[in-house]
Amino acid sequence: MWEYTDKVKEYFLKPKNIGEIDNADGVGDVGSIVCGDALKLSLKIDKDTDRIEDAKFQTFGCASAIASSSALTELIKGKTIDEALHVSNQDIAEFLGGLPKEKMHCSVLGREALEAAIADYRGIPKAEEEEGTLVCKCFDVSEEKIRKVAIENHLTTVDDITDYTKAGGGCGECREKIEAILNDIWSIKAPEKPVTPKKLTNLQKIALIQEIIEKEIRPGLQADGGDIDLIDIDGNKVIIAFRGMCTGCLMAGVTLEGIQSKLRELVSDAIVLEVQ
Ligand code: FES
């Protein structure tokens, strides 16, 4: 039995904004009944101000799916579409006072429906699923979705991904693939050729640090929407700044430690990394 907060119970038992808006300006239809959760979100939007005047939902799913969808409509009504796009699945869960972690996929479905409805309003065609990107056949979950949800929610284990997307929660065949995707997201790739640390002049040390950051560290971070800038090198103190998705990322501490170990391994044990 799941432990639900009073607010989840309230929004499940007396959901707000159920239904469909006639002549909606944007419709987001996500999930599928075959996979156990489906959500249709319709929006009425003031075209002059881009403000969401009304939001309604229809859902097929459990208590958390109904509560999450209803919470989403309450959160976005009155916001402009740009403001609404800042409503994350974590915001939906927080609005409800939390969701059981095994039910976080309901909040993710809400966020997906919101993105789809706004894309529909903006006339952005639904992206075609590229062949080969489907990772979980049981729940129809693509690699792109796993990467996005993992990065946005800082998920590091296959069980986390199952909680947030359902992927891996059926036959289990896709779990290895999910593990590989997570490793790819969160690990900093090892250098192809190990460089043997030697006694370096100051200039050699600076050049080596720059090269390692450019070739070994930056590509991995950029692949996940982040980046790093080398700000200064003062003796063994290396000062960097995170950019993009790395800024404010909850995993920044882990990334920082990974970069410091890499520089200690390849340049000098005495390297101390600092973030500006
Ligand atoms: S293919 Fe993912 S659980 Fe079956």
Side-chain angles (χ1 to χ4, degrees):
M1 193 69 184
W2 313 115
E3 283 287 328
Y4 290 123
T5 64
D6 288 344
K7 204 146 182 199
V8 171
K9 288 179 202 157
E10 179 195 332
Y11 273 72
F12 163 56
L13 294 170
K14 290 185 191 159
K16 296 179 170 77
N17 311 314
I18 283 193
E20 189 171 8
I21 294 173
D22 290 335
N23 300 316
D25 299 302
V27 176
D29 212 343
V30 295
S32 88
I33 290 176
V34 178
C35 297
D37 287 310
L39 170 59
K40 186 173 185 180
L41 175 71
S42 51
L43 304 177
K44 191 84 204 153
I45 300 171
D46 181 323
K47 294 190 180 64
D48 293 329
T49 60
D50 271 351
R51 201 164 286 280
I52 298 171
E53 294 178 326
D54 199 7
K56 288 195 186 299
F57 76 95
Q58 292 173 310
T59 189
F60 173 85
C62 58
S64 316
I66 294 168
S68 296
S69 310
S70 186
L72 168 69
T73 54
E74 286 289 279
L75 278 165
I76 60 175
K77 277 198 325 187
K79 286 188 164 61
T80 65
I81 55 172
D82 284 338
E83 287 165 352
L85 278 172
H86 284 105
V87 174
S88 67
N89 68 284
Q90 293 289 353
D91 292 329
I92 296 170
E94 272 168 33
F95 179 88
L96 292 167
L99 281 171
K101 81 179 173 54
E102 296 84 353
K103 292 288 176 183
M104 283 302 288
H105 58 87
C106 299
S107 65
V108 171
L109 197 69
R111 166 71 202 186
E112 267 187 283
L114 173 62
E115 284 175 20
I118 290 177
D120 182 45
Y121 169 68
R122 287 177 164 163
I124 301 168
K126 208 174 164 196
E128 291 287 324
E129 206 70 78
E130 278 173 43
E131 223 175 298
T133 62
L134 187 66
V135 172
C136 180
K137 292 186 191 128
C138 291
F139 293 105
D140 200 21
V141 183
S142 67
E143 178 171 346
E144 289 72 18
K145 177 167 173 176
I146 291 170
R147 285 182 178 274
K148 185 168 185 286
V149 173
I151 291 169
E152 284 178 359
N153 293 280
H154 314 288
L155 308 180
T156 55
T157 69
V158 178
D159 286 340
D160 288 342
I161 295 294
T162 305
D163 292 338
Y164 280 67
T165 68
K166 290 182 146 185
C171 70
E173 262 182 37
C174 59
R175 292 179 71 85
E176 243 177 69
K177 276 192 206 163
I178 297 172
E179 178 102 56
I181 293 168
L182 289 173
N183 285 340
D184 183 53
I185 292 172
W186 297 121
S187 65
I188 292 169
K189 291 169 190 81
E192 281 168 18
K193 274 193 263 156
V195 183
T196 314
K198 291 196 179 118
K199 245 202 162 355
L200 301 167
T201 66
N202 226 15
L203 281 178
Q204 284 172 326
K205 184 158 74 177
I206 291 169
L208 182 57
I209 291 170
Q210 283 173 328
E211 188 182 343
I212 291 166
I213 287 180
E214 280 305 317
K215 293 191 177 161
E216 310 295 342
I217 295 167
R218 174 168 271 156
L221 298 180
Q222 285 178 334
D224 296 325
D227 206 350
I228 182 177
D229 276 343
L230 178 61
I231 304 296
D232 197 9
I233 300 171
D234 180 8
N236 284 318
K237 189 159 79 177
V238 178
I239 303 165
I240 55 136
F242 283 130
R243 308 287 186 216
M245 293 283 288
C246 295
T247 314
C249 172
L250 292 179
M251 297 298 286
V254 178
T255 308
L256 190 70
E257 266 185 36
I259 297 169
Q260 181 170 270
S261 333
K262 185 66 55 197
L263 293 177
R264 284 183 176 172
E265 179 195 341
L266 301 176
V267 183
S268 158
D269 284 344
I271 294 286
V272 176
L273 196 60
E274 284 183 14
V275 182
Q276 190 182 51

